[in-house]
Amino acid sequence: MLRTTAARHVVKVKDYDHLCVTAAQKILEISKDKITEQGRCSVVLSGGLTPQGLYASMAAAYRDQLDWKRIHFFMLDERCVSTDSPRSNYKMIELSGMPTINVHRIKTDVEDPRKAAELYEREIKDFFNLETGELPHFDLVLLGLGEDGHVASLFPGHPALKEKDSFVVAVKAAKVPEKRVTLTLSVINNAAQVIFLVSGPSKAGILKKVLLEERQSFPAAHVHPAHGELWWFIDQMAASLLRRRF
Ligand code: 6PG
């Protein structure tokens, strides 16, 4: 079921499996359009656990429909752990079966977080051939929603939420065991399409606050692509407190 307002589209589906398939179909549609239009597509992959099934759907059901050579995958954020660690977002992407040939990873396993952030920002600037001060314009950014309302590794009240000079920053937050490297809100909000993927009862409370409450300032509520479209792909368990609003 789709509900559209000026700022956003909310797609509510029955369960996690339907969420992954529906989101994979949307990614297929976006990537085909962008490859036709510009010869390539740039997609930022969220970390965490929710997108694992989506990446598996893309790698399996849509393997033959996605033009993998022309889709460049970037990472939204990464934990400062080895790529063999179960906490590694890159490892999660690899285990999903997604071809990693075009995945631009954040090298937190071999570099100091600030150096890893610097290298990754340089890699993105080269990919988009950016001028100084220019922001990358990703075709699609995938996001998860933390139970505290964080997105990427941008946690409530953290100074990184206000970062304007760089668009990749190293973050240390008390809420998480390891240092992180993350894209900033300014990059997320400069994307053509942003898709939140939210599943399960544990997200029902925060999803209601972010979608329905006016006076709240969770990081997720600051995601407003200035020139793009915002999509919320949610399953019924995550939507259980939204009543009939969606
Ligand atoms: C990360 C993600 C983070 C994640 C949320 C939701 O590296 O953990 O970027 O923002 O999307 O914490 O995580 P789950 O999908 O595991 O609930």
Side-chain angles (χ1 to χ4, degrees):
M1 182 258 274
L2 167 67
R3 181 180 165 83
T4 293
T5 64
R8 69 188 177 210
H9 314 282
V10 178
V11 179
K12 185 169 76 172
V13 295
K14 188 168 67 160
D15 55 27
Y16 180 67
D17 289 346
H18 284 80
L19 191 70
C20 296
V21 169
T22 311
Q25 283 165 341
K26 186 68 190 165
I27 293 167
L28 177 65
E29 177 192 313
I30 291 169
S31 64
K32 281 185 170 175
D33 288 351
K34 286 298 175 184
I35 288 167
T36 302
E37 185 188 313
Q38 57 192 27
R40 72 182 189 185
C41 181
S42 56
V43 177
V44 178
L45 299 175
S46 171
L49 299 175
T50 302
Q52 218 161 7
L54 164 60
Y55 302 156
S57 294
M58 289 166 65
Y62 295 87
R63 173 175 289 280
D64 301 333
Q65 297 178 63
L66 286 157
D67 189 347
W68 297 97
K69 296 185 306 307
R70 293 176 182 271
I71 307 178
H72 287 260
F73 294 103
F74 291 80
M75 295 183 68
L76 179 67
D77 62 342
E78 182 57 288
R79 294 82 177 273
C80 295
V81 295
S82 129
T83 47
D84 289 332
S85 163
R87 297 274 304 156
S88 158
N89 285 330
Y90 181 76
K91 184 77 184 168
M92 179 273 290
I93 294 166
E94 216 176 23
L95 290 177
S96 73
M98 285 258 289
T100 52
I101 181 172
N102 269 359
V103 175
H104 299 251
R105 76 179 184 89
I106 307 173
K107 299 178 177 64
T108 54
D109 55 322
V110 291
E111 296 289 353
D112 162 87
R114 280 167 300 181
K115 182 71 177 164
E118 198 184 297
L119 290 171
Y120 190 52
E121 181 164 318
R122 168 51 48 209
E123 187 168 343
I124 294 172
K125 282 178 176 172
D126 293 346
F127 180 82
F128 286 101
N129 195 21
L130 297 181
E131 300 292 332
T132 305
E134 202 182 354
L135 285 172
H137 184 61
F138 285 106
D139 296 316
L140 172 61
V141 174
L142 297 173
L143 297 177
L145 175 64
E147 291 181 37
D148 61 354
H150 78 261
V151 291
S153 290
L154 301 168
F155 297 92
H158 198 285
L161 285 163
K162 294 189 170 28
E163 174 62 42
K164 295 285 183 230
D165 297 333
S166 304
F167 55 78
V168 183
V169 290
V171 164
K172 177 75 191 92
K175 292 199 163 200
V176 287
E178 66 279 301
K179 289 182 182 172
R180 306 273 187 104
V181 171
T182 184
L183 292 184
T184 61
L185 268 178
S186 52
V187 182
I188 295 168
N189 284 330
N190 200 46
Q193 309 258 5
V194 177
I195 294 179
F196 272 99
L197 211 61
V198 189
S199 171
S202 69
K203 302 292 174 73
I206 189 62
L207 185 64
K208 178 185 178 207
K209 287 177 185 164
V210 170
L211 285 185
L212 298 185
E213 288 181 11
E214 291 302 318
R215 276 176 300 289
Q216 42 84 7
S217 64
F218 296 105
H222 291 282
V223 174
H224 296 294
H227 314 289
E229 291 189 276
L230 176 59
W231 296 82
W232 288 85
F233 282 70
I234 63 180
D235 66 15
Q236 281 176 358
M237 294 300 276
S240 57
L241 298 180
L242 297 180
R243 299 273 178 271
R244 303 232 173 282
R245 296 288 295 275
F246 297 100

